[in-house]
Every structure is written in C-alpha cells, then in structure tokens.
Amino acid sequence: MKSEDTPFEGGPMDGRVLPVLLGITGHPPKTYRIPVPAADGGPPTVLVYRRVPRERSGRTGLTRGWKYLYDPTGRAGGRPRWPWSKSGSDPDATPGGKPDDAHG
C-alpha cells in the first residue's frame, strides 16, 4: 500500500507529520480519527482531523498535497449528500415571506 507523509495542524498533534495510507484514488481519507486512551481506564477520547489542501499551484489551481486540520467539534460530517435526498426542511411546509396577493 502507498502512503504519504501528511502534516497535522492544531490540537494535540500540531506540527507532527505522519505517514497516512492513501486510498485507491491516491488521496488520504477526508477525516482522520485518532483514539486516545483515557488515563483512568474510561472510554477513549477521539481526536478528529479534517483533510484540507496544503497549497495550490499558481497557474493551474491544482492541489499540491494535503494536510489535516484539527476539528474540535468532532462531528461526523462525512455522509454523502445525494441530490435526490431530502434536506432538513419539510417540503410540504408553507414557504416564509409575504403571501401572494392573488390568494387573498
């Protein structure tokens, strides 16, 4: 398997560079989770890092590598968003704003 030395920024891993395995597309994973065991034997704390472009080339705008930024919220935002799936709002709800004059 191929790996790439990827820098980490922010959080407890700030300034470290770790070899991260690349996927079949040649990119590292979008999120990198690091479980940290608790000192008292409780459940481990999970550090979450999100992949962002390291730098972009000036002429073509292509990404020249990746880095991971610390995400203190640690929310799972990696779900695919399909165009046919419903959003958080109810489609049958009355739209906000001023009512149309033709309807009363």
Side-chain angles (χ1 to χ4, degrees):
M1 299 223 50
K2 191 173 179 183
S3 66
E4 178 180 298
D5 289 337
T6 308
F8 286 76
E9 292 184 5
M13 299 290 291
D14 190 29
R16 295 190 185 186
V17 178
L18 297 177
V20 176
L21 292 176
L22 303 178
I24 58 173
T25 60
H27 298 287
K30 289 184 181 180
T31 56
Y32 196 83
R33 300 177 194 286
I34 304 171
V36 179
D40 60 355
T45 304
V46 178
L47 304 174
V48 179
Y49 285 83
R50 304 251 180 244
R51 181 186 76 186
V52 295
R54 188 182 316 178
E55 63 183 50
R56 296 191 181 269
S57 64
R59 182 172 276 186
T60 61
L62 297 174
T63 301
R64 287 188 178 174
W66 302 95
K67 65 181 176 181
Y68 283 104
L69 288 179
Y70 180 61
D71 183 8
T73 61
R75 293 188 200 144
R79 265 186 45 207
R81 292 184 180 91
W82 304 106
W84 55 84
S85 58
K86 294 182 181 178
S87 63
S89 65
D90 185 13
D92 295 331
T94 305
K98 192 173 171 182
D100 190 19
D101 291 339
H103 297 310

